[in-house]
Amino acid sequence: MTYSDKINKIVSPSQWTNLIWIILGIILVQTVIFPILALVKILEIYCWRYEFRQRTIIERKGILSVTRREVHFYRIKSIKIDEPLWMRIFGLANVTIKTSDPYLPELLLYAVPKGIKIREKIRSKTDEWRRSEGIREFDMYNL
């Protein structure tokens, strides 16, 4: 069975996470350091993407040096949502995905909008791929 790995959705962290840097850049505009740091932080968030593809989630991150991390849906074990107060004000959440991948045991979706909806979509995709591929996962402890 062949599947195309087309992009279903692209999500990025919110620029609200840079609010303090932007405020410091505006207040301390007479110095050169804070406005430059604010611009670097804005660029950092702008170049950070989470691609939800047919079979995988890909994190693409970096301004000059780009890092791509990929996790298959069938490897996802659990999902945790953190909503700190300042993120809840803007409708954001941190979604932590625990996987059975030895090289990527945890993937953090940082400051994404609608975290609960994203969790539900990930959970349904995980169940769908495990059923379609006949994959069962067992935890082995104390061997």
Side-chain angles (χ1 to χ4, degrees), residues 20-65:
I20 292 173
W21 289 104
I22 293 168
I23 290 171
L24 284 174
I26 292 169
I27 292 172
L28 302 172
V29 77
Q30 65 272 15
T31 66
V32 178
I33 296 170
F34 279 106
I36 290 174
L37 281 176
L39 285 174
V40 168
K41 287 298 205 178
I42 289 169
L43 259 177
E44 184 179 290
I45 294 293
Y46 181 76
C47 295
W48 195 352
R49 298 275 182 266
Y50 303 107
E51 297 176 4
F52 291 85
R53 294 181 174 255
Q54 193 72 20
R55 304 174 78 150
T56 59
I57 300 172
I58 298 174
E59 177 189 43
R60 185 180 183 281
K61 178 178 178 177
I63 298 171
L64 298 175
S65 176

Side-chain angles (χ1 to χ4, degrees), residues 1-33:
M1 193 183 289
T2 61
Y3 298 98
S4 66
D5 203 19
K6 66 178 179 127
I7 298 174
N8 291 334
K9 185 173 186 151
I10 296 176
V11 178
S12 330
S14 174
Q15 288 292 349
W16 285 109
T17 60
N18 291 325
L19 186 62
I20 292 173
W21 289 104
I22 293 168
I23 290 171
L24 284 174
I26 292 169
I27 292 172
L28 302 172
V29 77
Q30 65 272 15
T31 66
V32 178
I33 296 170

Side-chain angles (χ1 to χ4, degrees), residues 94-112:
N94 292 329
V95 180
T96 305
I97 301 170
K98 299 276 187 182
T99 72
S100 62
D101 190 335
Y103 300 107
L104 183 61
E106 189 173 284
L107 178 65
L108 174 66
L109 307 181
Y110 179 69
V112 293

